Amino acid sequence: MGSLLVTGGAGYVGSHAVRQLQCKGEKIVVLDDLSEGHRQATAGVDLVVADLADTTRIGSVLDELFQKETFDVVLHFAGRAYVGESVRDPERYYRINVGGGIELLSAMARNGVPRIIFSSTCATYGEPDTVPILEDHPQRPLSAYGRTKLAFELALKDFEIAHGIRHINFRYFNAAGAHPDGTLGEDHRPETHLIPLVCDAALGLRPAVDIFGTDYPTPDGTCIRDYIHVVDLADAHILGVEALRSGASSTSYNLGMGHGYSVLEVVESVKRVSGRDVTARHTPRRPGDPPSLVASSQKASDELGWKPSFKDLDDIVKTAWQFKQSYPQGYSKT
Ligand code: UDP
């Protein structure tokens, strides 16, 4: 058994995966450029600060890492994940999410690193024909973000054909919540995600939360998303590593709860959990938001034995609220 290289391990989902993998006794090295990630979230873990998209340097950084130590699986979380930003600045998304990923795969091929787990997304599906969404649903992404994630899924197929690198694509639905021990959580700058924004409003850090669209074809008119606790997501990666090490074939898995909540239901949950009021402002739709995204994760459950433990939205929100109360301004900047 070799070590694990975790790209983006200082970020939100990556840092939770590192924590869970560490608890299993894995030897881990994190590679992160700290553009989005936080040094504080990697406390006690070997951290290499490098940018995968820095083509002048990254090849030699990865070669040195792979030659110094035996890595048998790479977990690739690094990348940008803001839909709106990707529409405004697609070049950045192709350079980082595709170009940076290719630098990684090329270095893996050069150095004989045989397996990779990729953080993909439900945004690769676009507007679904049917919900819950199964893995073989057509992938028709609506944004540059979704297209760059799909492009890298396709690259993984070709690197398997040419170099035998086996992969798992985990297609995340809406990652939410924070580590129950209170030391890790969600800190995006600027924050765009619903649950931390509603928590900020409950804490009085912002005057209100905007509800993006109330005229969707859903029961209360607001968008429905499948919120999955970040520790449950992280735990799926442990199972993914085990599966690849045992010889599993390359494949894709949805990771969600199979149950959706509307934006207004999320606001109500934060009010219940925090015991505070939240002002909700109705605003127009955000471009590119499908009305409803709900996963079928049956395949992950059947094949990997994945069983999420945070089943209720309030339980997920409780951990997000706890983190917000401890770190109202997020991690320290150092
Ligand atoms: N949303 C909202 N107000 C906000 C942020 C998000 O109404 O300030 C909605 C958004 O339109 C979507 C849902 O909340 O339907 C979840 O959005 P988020 O950005 O958290 O995740 P995404 O679904 O974009 O990955």
PDB file of all heavy atoms in Angstrom, residues 81 83 122 173-175 186 192-197 209-213 216 222-225 227 263 283 286 289-291 293, ligand 1:
ATOM      1  N   ALA A  81     -14.799  25.979  -8.851  1.00  0.00           N
ATOM      2  CA  ALA A  81     -16.148  25.406  -8.848  1.00  0.00           C
ATOM      3  C   ALA A  81     -17.251  26.456  -8.708  1.00  0.00           C
ATOM      4  O   ALA A  81     -18.242  26.221  -8.035  1.00  0.00           O
ATOM      5  CB  ALA A  81     -16.256  24.375  -7.736  1.00  0.00           C
ATOM      6  N   VAL A  83     -19.996  28.371 -10.788  1.00  0.00           N
ATOM      7  CA  VAL A  83     -20.668  28.361 -12.087  1.00  0.00           C
ATOM      8  C   VAL A  83     -20.622  29.743 -12.747  1.00  0.00           C
ATOM      9  O   VAL A  83     -20.219  29.890 -13.901  1.00  0.00           O
ATOM     10  CB  VAL A  83     -22.133  27.881 -11.927  1.00  0.00           C
ATOM     11  CG1 VAL A  83     -22.914  28.085 -13.205  1.00  0.00           C
ATOM     12  CG2 VAL A  83     -22.159  26.413 -11.513  1.00  0.00           C
ATOM     13  N   CYS A 122     -22.542  16.946 -10.244  1.00  0.00           N
ATOM     14  CA  CYS A 122     -23.864  16.801 -10.867  1.00  0.00           C
ATOM     15  C   CYS A 122     -24.060  17.857 -11.949  1.00  0.00           C
ATOM     16  O   CYS A 122     -24.949  17.702 -12.801  1.00  0.00           O
ATOM     17  CB  CYS A 122     -24.968  16.888  -9.821  1.00  0.00           C
ATOM     18  SG  CYS A 122     -25.043  18.459  -8.946  1.00  0.00           S
ATOM     19  N   PHE A 173     -23.335  15.921  -5.487  1.00  0.00           N
ATOM     20  CA  PHE A 173     -24.484  16.812  -5.503  1.00  0.00           C
ATOM     21  C   PHE A 173     -24.120  17.984  -4.571  1.00  0.00           C
ATOM     22  O   PHE A 173     -23.004  18.465  -4.652  1.00  0.00           O
ATOM     23  CB  PHE A 173     -25.777  16.025  -5.228  1.00  0.00           C
ATOM     24  CG  PHE A 173     -26.186  15.293  -6.502  1.00  0.00           C
ATOM     25  CD1 PHE A 173     -25.379  14.282  -7.031  1.00  0.00           C
ATOM     26  CD2 PHE A 173     -27.296  15.670  -7.227  1.00  0.00           C
ATOM     27  CE1 PHE A 173     -25.686  13.663  -8.252  1.00  0.00           C
ATOM     28  CE2 PHE A 173     -27.619  15.061  -8.444  1.00  0.00           C
ATOM     29  CZ  PHE A 173     -26.801  14.060  -8.960  1.00  0.00           C
ATOM     30  N   ASN A 174     -24.964  18.474  -3.696  1.00  0.00           N
ATOM     31  CA  ASN A 174     -24.600  19.701  -2.973  1.00  0.00           C
ATOM     32  C   ASN A 174     -23.911  19.397  -1.645  1.00  0.00           C
ATOM     33  O   ASN A 174     -24.586  19.087  -0.651  1.00  0.00           O
ATOM     34  CB  ASN A 174     -25.841  20.570  -2.755  1.00  0.00           C
ATOM     35  CG  ASN A 174     -26.255  21.261  -4.035  1.00  0.00           C
ATOM     36  OD1 ASN A 174     -26.561  20.597  -5.025  1.00  0.00           O
ATOM     37  ND2 ASN A 174     -26.248  22.582  -4.046  1.00  0.00           N
ATOM     38  N   ALA A 175     -22.596  19.498  -1.640  1.00  0.00           N
ATOM     39  CA  ALA A 175     -21.823  19.265  -0.416  1.00  0.00           C
ATOM     40  C   ALA A 175     -22.210  20.326   0.617  1.00  0.00           C
ATOM     41  O   ALA A 175     -22.323  21.510   0.294  1.00  0.00           O
ATOM     42  CB  ALA A 175     -20.341  19.364  -0.716  1.00  0.00           C
ATOM     43  N   GLU A 186     -16.812  25.012   5.946  1.00  0.00           N
ATOM     44  CA  GLU A 186     -16.885  25.632   4.626  1.00  0.00           C
ATOM     45  C   GLU A 186     -16.486  27.093   4.727  1.00  0.00           C
ATOM     46  O   GLU A 186     -17.075  27.841   5.494  1.00  0.00           O
ATOM     47  CB  GLU A 186     -18.331  25.494   4.114  1.00  0.00           C
ATOM     48  CG  GLU A 186     -18.520  25.971   2.702  1.00  0.00           C
ATOM     49  CD  GLU A 186     -19.843  25.496   2.093  1.00  0.00           C
ATOM     50  OE1 GLU A 186     -20.707  25.001   2.847  1.00  0.00           O
ATOM     51  OE2 GLU A 186     -19.991  25.621   0.865  1.00  0.00           O
ATOM     52  N   THR A 192     -20.629  31.735  -1.916  1.00  0.00           N
ATOM     53  CA  THR A 192     -21.772  31.764  -2.839  1.00  0.00           C
ATOM     54  C   THR A 192     -22.791  30.693  -2.481  1.00  0.00           C
ATOM     55  O   THR A 192     -23.849  30.628  -3.090  1.00  0.00           O
ATOM     56  CB  THR A 192     -21.323  31.502  -4.292  1.00  0.00           C
ATOM     57  OG1 THR A 192     -20.760  30.183  -4.355  1.00  0.00           O
ATOM     58  CG2 THR A 192     -20.318  32.515  -4.773  1.00  0.00           C
ATOM     59  N   HIS A 193     -22.459  29.808  -1.547  1.00  0.00           N
ATOM     60  CA  HIS A 193     -23.314  28.644  -1.280  1.00  0.00           C
ATOM     61  C   HIS A 193     -24.409  28.963  -0.275  1.00  0.00           C
ATOM     62  O   HIS A 193     -24.209  29.727   0.669  1.00  0.00           O
ATOM     63  CB  HIS A 193     -22.471  27.455  -0.831  1.00  0.00           C
ATOM     64  CG  HIS A 193     -21.582  26.968  -1.925  1.00  0.00           C
ATOM     65  ND1 HIS A 193     -20.230  27.185  -1.932  1.00  0.00           N
ATOM     66  CD2 HIS A 193     -21.876  26.333  -3.079  1.00  0.00           C
ATOM     67  CE1 HIS A 193     -19.723  26.686  -3.043  1.00  0.00           C
ATOM     68  NE2 HIS A 193     -20.695  26.162  -3.764  1.00  0.00           N
ATOM     69  N   LEU A 194     -25.529  28.313  -0.524  1.00  0.00           N
ATOM     70  CA  LEU A 194     -26.746  28.686   0.194  1.00  0.00           C
ATOM     71  C   LEU A 194     -26.638  28.527   1.715  1.00  0.00           C
ATOM     72  O   LEU A 194     -26.947  29.467   2.461  1.00  0.00           O
ATOM     73  CB  LEU A 194     -27.926  27.850  -0.344  1.00  0.00           C
ATOM     74  CG  LEU A 194     -29.265  28.162   0.293  1.00  0.00           C
ATOM     75  CD1 LEU A 194     -29.694  29.588  -0.008  1.00  0.00           C
ATOM     76  CD2 LEU A 194     -30.326  27.167  -0.197  1.00  0.00           C
ATOM     77  N   ILE A 195     -26.235  27.350   2.198  1.00  0.00           N
ATOM     78  CA  ILE A 195     -26.309  27.113   3.649  1.00  0.00           C
ATOM     79  C   ILE A 195     -25.406  28.081   4.430  1.00  0.00           C
ATOM     80  O   ILE A 195     -25.878  28.728   5.378  1.00  0.00           O
ATOM     81  CB  ILE A 195     -26.061  25.623   3.988  1.00  0.00           C
ATOM     82  CG1 ILE A 195     -27.248  24.806   3.441  1.00  0.00           C
ATOM     83  CG2 ILE A 195     -25.869  25.410   5.494  1.00  0.00           C
ATOM     84  CD1 ILE A 195     -27.133  23.289   3.625  1.00  0.00           C
ATOM     85  N   PRO A 196     -24.121  28.254   4.052  1.00  0.00           N
ATOM     86  CA  PRO A 196     -23.326  29.240   4.809  1.00  0.00           C
ATOM     87  C   PRO A 196     -23.875  30.657   4.709  1.00  0.00           C
ATOM     88  O   PRO A 196     -23.785  31.428   5.676  1.00  0.00           O
ATOM     89  CB  PRO A 196     -21.920  29.132   4.197  1.00  0.00           C
ATOM     90  CG  PRO A 196     -22.037  28.282   2.995  1.00  0.00           C
ATOM     91  CD  PRO A 196     -23.300  27.488   3.092  1.00  0.00           C
ATOM     92  N   LEU A 197     -24.475  30.999   3.558  1.00  0.00           N
ATOM     93  CA  LEU A 197     -25.039  32.354   3.429  1.00  0.00           C
ATOM     94  C   LEU A 197     -26.240  32.536   4.356  1.00  0.00           C
ATOM     95  O   LEU A 197     -26.394  33.594   4.985  1.00  0.00           O
ATOM     96  CB  LEU A 197     -25.452  32.626   1.976  1.00  0.00           C
ATOM     97  CG  LEU A 197     -24.292  32.833   0.995  1.00  0.00           C
ATOM     98  CD1 LEU A 197     -24.808  32.945  -0.435  1.00  0.00           C
ATOM     99  CD2 LEU A 197     -23.486  34.091   1.361  1.00  0.00           C
ATOM    100  N   VAL A 209     -30.886  37.009   3.095  1.00  0.00           N
ATOM    101  CA  VAL A 209     -30.434  36.049   2.088  1.00  0.00           C
ATOM    102  C   VAL A 209     -31.326  36.205   0.864  1.00  0.00           C
ATOM    103  O   VAL A 209     -32.545  36.397   0.990  1.00  0.00           O
ATOM    104  CB  VAL A 209     -30.418  34.607   2.641  1.00  0.00           C
ATOM    105  CG1 VAL A 209     -31.799  34.135   3.011  1.00  0.00           C
ATOM    106  CG2 VAL A 209     -29.778  33.649   1.649  1.00  0.00           C
ATOM    107  N   ASP A 210     -30.695  36.178  -0.313  1.00  0.00           N
ATOM    108  CA  ASP A 210     -31.463  36.290  -1.554  1.00  0.00           C
ATOM    109  C   ASP A 210     -31.970  34.910  -1.960  1.00  0.00           C
ATOM    110  O   ASP A 210     -31.222  33.938  -1.924  1.00  0.00           O
ATOM    111  CB  ASP A 210     -30.570  36.836  -2.684  1.00  0.00           C
ATOM    112  CG  ASP A 210     -30.208  38.296  -2.453  1.00  0.00           C
ATOM    113  OD1 ASP A 210     -30.984  38.994  -1.767  1.00  0.00           O
ATOM    114  OD2 ASP A 210     -29.144  38.719  -2.946  1.00  0.00           O
ATOM    115  N   ILE A 211     -33.244  34.870  -2.330  1.00  0.00           N
ATOM    116  CA  ILE A 211     -33.818  33.619  -2.851  1.00  0.00           C
ATOM    117  C   ILE A 211     -33.827  33.760  -4.368  1.00  0.00           C
ATOM    118  O   ILE A 211     -34.590  34.579  -4.909  1.00  0.00           O
ATOM    119  CB  ILE A 211     -35.277  33.410  -2.352  1.00  0.00           C
ATOM    120  CG1 ILE A 211     -35.368  33.590  -0.840  1.00  0.00           C
ATOM    121  CG2 ILE A 211     -35.847  32.079  -2.823  1.00  0.00           C
ATOM    122  CD1 ILE A 211     -34.686  32.528  -0.028  1.00  0.00           C
ATOM    123  N   PHE A 212     -32.996  32.990  -5.042  1.00  0.00           N
ATOM    124  CA  PHE A 212     -32.838  33.142  -6.489  1.00  0.00           C
ATOM    125  C   PHE A 212     -33.973  32.442  -7.238  1.00  0.00           C
ATOM    126  O   PHE A 212     -33.822  31.304  -7.670  1.00  0.00           O
ATOM    127  CB  PHE A 212     -31.496  32.571  -6.941  1.00  0.00           C
ATOM    128  CG  PHE A 212     -30.278  33.281  -6.408  1.00  0.00           C
ATOM    129  CD1 PHE A 212     -29.072  32.594  -6.268  1.00  0.00           C
ATOM    130  CD2 PHE A 212     -30.321  34.626  -6.054  1.00  0.00           C
ATOM    131  CE1 PHE A 212     -27.937  33.230  -5.795  1.00  0.00           C
ATOM    132  CE2 PHE A 212     -29.184  35.270  -5.578  1.00  0.00           C
ATOM    133  CZ  PHE A 212     -27.991  34.572  -5.441  1.00  0.00           C
ATOM    134  N   GLY A 213     -35.080  33.130  -7.392  1.00  0.00           N
ATOM    135  CA  GLY A 213     -36.186  32.599  -8.192  1.00  0.00           C
ATOM    136  C   GLY A 213     -37.243  31.914  -7.348  1.00  0.00           C
ATOM    137  O   GLY A 213     -36.921  31.032  -6.543  1.00  0.00           O
ATOM    138  N   TYR A 216     -40.084  28.659 -10.079  1.00  0.00           N
ATOM    139  CA  TYR A 216     -39.701  27.358 -10.655  1.00  0.00           C
ATOM    140  C   TYR A 216     -40.872  26.374 -10.547  1.00  0.00           C
ATOM    141  O   TYR A 216     -41.711  26.509  -9.642  1.00  0.00           O
ATOM    142  CB  TYR A 216     -38.488  26.780  -9.906  1.00  0.00           C
ATOM    143  CG  TYR A 216     -37.183  27.450 -10.271  1.00  0.00           C
ATOM    144  CD1 TYR A 216     -36.652  28.465  -9.480  1.00  0.00           C
ATOM    145  CD2 TYR A 216     -36.485  27.065 -11.408  1.00  0.00           C
ATOM    146  CE1 TYR A 216     -35.456  29.080  -9.815  1.00  0.00           C
ATOM    147  CE2 TYR A 216     -35.281  27.673 -11.753  1.00  0.00           C
ATOM    148  CZ  TYR A 216     -34.776  28.671 -10.954  1.00  0.00           C
ATOM    149  OH  TYR A 216     -33.596  29.272 -11.297  1.00  0.00           O
ATOM    150  N   THR A 222     -39.268  27.368  -5.447  1.00  0.00           N
ATOM    151  CA  THR A 222     -37.809  27.581  -5.361  1.00  0.00           C
ATOM    152  C   THR A 222     -37.076  26.287  -5.735  1.00  0.00           C
ATOM    153  O   THR A 222     -37.661  25.199  -5.715  1.00  0.00           O
ATOM    154  CB  THR A 222     -37.383  28.063  -3.955  1.00  0.00           C
ATOM    155  OG1 THR A 222     -37.610  27.025  -2.987  1.00  0.00           O
ATOM    156  CG2 THR A 222     -38.160  29.317  -3.553  1.00  0.00           C
ATOM    157  N   CYS A 223     -35.796  26.441  -6.067  1.00  0.00           N
ATOM    158  CA  CYS A 223     -35.025  25.294  -6.586  1.00  0.00           C
ATOM    159  C   CYS A 223     -34.842  24.208  -5.533  1.00  0.00           C
ATOM    160  O   CYS A 223     -34.649  24.496  -4.341  1.00  0.00           O
ATOM    161  CB  CYS A 223     -33.628  25.740  -6.984  1.00  0.00           C
ATOM    162  SG  CYS A 223     -33.568  26.615  -8.519  1.00  0.00           S
ATOM    163  N   ILE A 224     -34.828  22.985  -6.017  1.00  0.00           N
ATOM    164  CA  ILE A 224     -34.615  21.828  -5.145  1.00  0.00           C
ATOM    165  C   ILE A 224     -33.227  21.247  -5.404  1.00  0.00           C
ATOM    166  O   ILE A 224     -32.840  21.032  -6.554  1.00  0.00           O
ATOM    167  CB  ILE A 224     -35.718  20.782  -5.398  1.00  0.00           C
ATOM    168  CG1 ILE A 224     -37.047  21.355  -4.889  1.00  0.00           C
ATOM    169  CG2 ILE A 224     -35.379  19.452  -4.743  1.00  0.00           C
ATOM    170  CD1 ILE A 224     -38.241  20.466  -5.151  1.00  0.00           C
ATOM    171  N   ARG A 225     -32.486  21.037  -4.312  1.00  0.00           N
ATOM    172  CA  ARG A 225     -31.147  20.442  -4.407  1.00  0.00           C
ATOM    173  C   ARG A 225     -31.027  19.304  -3.395  1.00  0.00           C
ATOM    174  O   ARG A 225     -31.713  19.297  -2.368  1.00  0.00           O
ATOM    175  CB  ARG A 225     -30.060  21.483  -4.102  1.00  0.00           C
ATOM    176  CG  ARG A 225     -29.952  22.588  -5.134  1.00  0.00           C
ATOM    177  CD  ARG A 225     -29.383  22.072  -6.452  1.00  0.00           C
ATOM    178  NE  ARG A 225     -29.313  23.114  -7.463  1.00  0.00           N
ATOM    179  CZ  ARG A 225     -30.320  23.436  -8.290  1.00  0.00           C
ATOM    180  NH1 ARG A 225     -31.477  22.803  -8.224  1.00  0.00           N
ATOM    181  NH2 ARG A 225     -30.144  24.374  -9.199  1.00  0.00           N
ATOM    182  N   TYR A 227     -28.788  17.897  -0.738  1.00  0.00           N
ATOM    183  CA  TYR A 227     -27.685  18.298   0.139  1.00  0.00           C
ATOM    184  C   TYR A 227     -27.107  17.062   0.819  1.00  0.00           C
ATOM    185  O   TYR A 227     -27.841  16.303   1.453  1.00  0.00           O
ATOM    186  CB  TYR A 227     -28.157  19.329   1.175  1.00  0.00           C
ATOM    187  CG  TYR A 227     -28.608  20.601   0.493  1.00  0.00           C
ATOM    188  CD1 TYR A 227     -29.927  20.774   0.077  1.00  0.00           C
ATOM    189  CD2 TYR A 227     -27.690  21.610   0.211  1.00  0.00           C
ATOM    190  CE1 TYR A 227     -30.328  21.925  -0.585  1.00  0.00           C
ATOM    191  CE2 TYR A 227     -28.086  22.767  -0.462  1.00  0.00           C
ATOM    192  CZ  TYR A 227     -29.397  22.911  -0.855  1.00  0.00           C
ATOM    193  OH  TYR A 227     -29.783  24.048  -1.532  1.00  0.00           O
ATOM    194  N   VAL A 263     -35.005  25.753  -1.617  1.00  0.00           N
ATOM    195  CA  VAL A 263     -34.261  26.854  -1.000  1.00  0.00           C
ATOM    196  C   VAL A 263     -35.006  27.333   0.255  1.00  0.00           C
ATOM    197  O   VAL A 263     -34.396  27.559   1.309  1.00  0.00           O
ATOM    198  CB  VAL A 263     -34.079  28.014  -2.015  1.00  0.00           C
ATOM    199  CG1 VAL A 263     -33.425  29.219  -1.348  1.00  0.00           C
ATOM    200  CG2 VAL A 263     -33.249  27.561  -3.217  1.00  0.00           C
ATOM    201  N   THR A 283     -35.491  37.351  -5.215  1.00  0.00           N
ATOM    202  CA  THR A 283     -34.779  37.991  -6.330  1.00  0.00           C
ATOM    203  C   THR A 283     -34.938  37.115  -7.577  1.00  0.00           C
ATOM    204  O   THR A 283     -35.384  35.966  -7.470  1.00  0.00           O
ATOM    205  CB  THR A 283     -33.279  38.163  -5.998  1.00  0.00           C
ATOM    206  OG1 THR A 283     -32.715  36.873  -5.777  1.00  0.00           O
ATOM    207  CG2 THR A 283     -33.059  39.027  -4.777  1.00  0.00           C
ATOM    208  N   ARG A 286     -31.105  32.764 -10.794  1.00  0.00           N
ATOM    209  CA  ARG A 286     -29.683  32.829 -11.147  1.00  0.00           C
ATOM    210  C   ARG A 286     -29.515  32.037 -12.447  1.00  0.00           C
ATOM    211  O   ARG A 286     -29.941  30.876 -12.500  1.00  0.00           O
ATOM    212  CB  ARG A 286     -28.875  32.194 -10.007  1.00  0.00           C
ATOM    213  CG  ARG A 286     -27.382  32.279 -10.159  1.00  0.00           C
ATOM    214  CD  ARG A 286     -26.662  31.810  -8.893  1.00  0.00           C
ATOM    215  NE  ARG A 286     -26.810  30.379  -8.646  1.00  0.00           N
ATOM    216  CZ  ARG A 286     -26.202  29.722  -7.656  1.00  0.00           C
ATOM    217  NH1 ARG A 286     -25.431  30.376  -6.817  1.00  0.00           N
ATOM    218  NH2 ARG A 286     -26.389  28.437  -7.495  1.00  0.00           N
ATOM    219  N   ASP A 289     -29.357  27.720 -13.292  1.00  0.00           N
ATOM    220  CA  ASP A 289     -29.819  26.849 -12.199  1.00  0.00           C
ATOM    221  C   ASP A 289     -30.986  25.978 -12.673  1.00  0.00           C
ATOM    222  O   ASP A 289     -32.081  26.480 -12.916  1.00  0.00           O
ATOM    223  CB  ASP A 289     -30.328  27.691 -11.020  1.00  0.00           C
ATOM    224  CG  ASP A 289     -29.229  28.070 -10.054  1.00  0.00           C
ATOM    225  OD1 ASP A 289     -28.193  27.382 -10.024  1.00  0.00           O
ATOM    226  OD2 ASP A 289     -29.413  29.059  -9.319  1.00  0.00           O
ATOM    227  N   PRO A 290     -30.797  24.656 -12.793  1.00  0.00           N
ATOM    228  CA  PRO A 290     -31.944  23.790 -13.105  1.00  0.00           C
ATOM    229  C   PRO A 290     -32.914  23.757 -11.916  1.00  0.00           C
ATOM    230  O   PRO A 290     -32.494  23.943 -10.774  1.00  0.00           O
ATOM    231  CB  PRO A 290     -31.318  22.407 -13.317  1.00  0.00           C
ATOM    232  CG  PRO A 290     -29.845  22.600 -13.311  1.00  0.00           C
ATOM    233  CD  PRO A 290     -29.550  23.914 -12.637  1.00  0.00           C
ATOM    234  N   PRO A 291     -34.215  23.531 -12.157  1.00  0.00           N
ATOM    235  CA  PRO A 291     -35.198  23.561 -11.063  1.00  0.00           C
ATOM    236  C   PRO A 291     -34.917  22.519  -9.977  1.00  0.00           C
ATOM    237  O   PRO A 291     -35.054  22.813  -8.798  1.00  0.00           O
ATOM    238  CB  PRO A 291     -36.528  23.235 -11.747  1.00  0.00           C
ATOM    239  CG  PRO A 291     -36.304  23.363 -13.205  1.00  0.00           C
ATOM    240  CD  PRO A 291     -34.833  23.315 -13.475  1.00  0.00           C
ATOM    241  N   LEU A 293     -32.355  19.069  -8.798  1.00  0.00           N
ATOM    242  CA  LEU A 293     -31.261  18.103  -8.991  1.00  0.00           C
ATOM    243  C   LEU A 293     -31.248  17.171  -7.796  1.00  0.00           C
ATOM    244  O   LEU A 293     -30.958  17.593  -6.677  1.00  0.00           O
ATOM    245  CB  LEU A 293     -29.906  18.827  -9.084  1.00  0.00           C
ATOM    246  CG  LEU A 293     -29.612  19.630 -10.345  1.00  0.00           C
ATOM    247  CD1 LEU A 293     -28.298  20.399 -10.198  1.00  0.00           C
ATOM    248  CD2 LEU A 293     -29.535  18.716 -11.575  1.00  0.00           C
TER     249      LEU A 293
HETATM  250  N1  UDP B   1     -29.321  29.977  -3.819  1.00  0.00           N
HETATM  251  C1  UDP B   1     -30.114  31.034  -3.447  1.00  0.00           C
HETATM  252  N2  UDP B   1     -29.528  32.125  -2.863  1.00  0.00           N
HETATM  253  C2  UDP B   1     -28.193  32.204  -2.643  1.00  0.00           C
HETATM  254  C3  UDP B   1     -27.378  31.110  -3.010  1.00  0.00           C
HETATM  255  C4  UDP B   1     -27.973  30.013  -3.608  1.00  0.00           C
HETATM  256  O1  UDP B   1     -31.341  31.011  -3.646  1.00  0.00           O
HETATM  257  O2  UDP B   1     -27.726  33.228  -2.127  1.00  0.00           O
HETATM  258  C5  UDP B   1     -29.941  28.779  -4.430  1.00  0.00           C
HETATM  259  C6  UDP B   1     -29.375  28.425  -5.790  1.00  0.00           C
HETATM  260  O3  UDP B   1     -30.116  29.078  -6.810  1.00  0.00           O
HETATM  261  C7  UDP B   1     -29.569  26.908  -5.810  1.00  0.00           C
HETATM  262  C8  UDP B   1     -29.440  26.494  -4.341  1.00  0.00           C
HETATM  263  O4  UDP B   1     -29.638  27.693  -3.594  1.00  0.00           O
HETATM  264  O5  UDP B   1     -30.853  26.577  -6.237  1.00  0.00           O
HETATM  265  C9  UDP B   1     -28.095  25.941  -4.004  1.00  0.00           C
HETATM  266  O6  UDP B   1     -27.119  26.828  -4.494  1.00  0.00           O
HETATM  267  P1  UDP B   1     -25.587  26.701  -4.130  1.00  0.00           P
HETATM  268  O7  UDP B   1     -24.871  27.878  -4.742  1.00  0.00           O
HETATM  269  O8  UDP B   1     -25.431  26.486  -2.664  1.00  0.00           O
HETATM  270  O9  UDP B   1     -25.119  25.355  -4.824  1.00  0.00           O
HETATM  271  P2  UDP B   1     -25.211  24.891  -6.364  1.00  0.00           P
HETATM  272  O10 UDP B   1     -26.536  24.192  -6.496  1.00  0.00           O
HETATM  273  O11 UDP B   1     -25.079  26.094  -7.237  1.00  0.00           O
HETATM  274  O12 UDP B   1     -24.056  23.949  -6.487  1.00  0.00           O
END
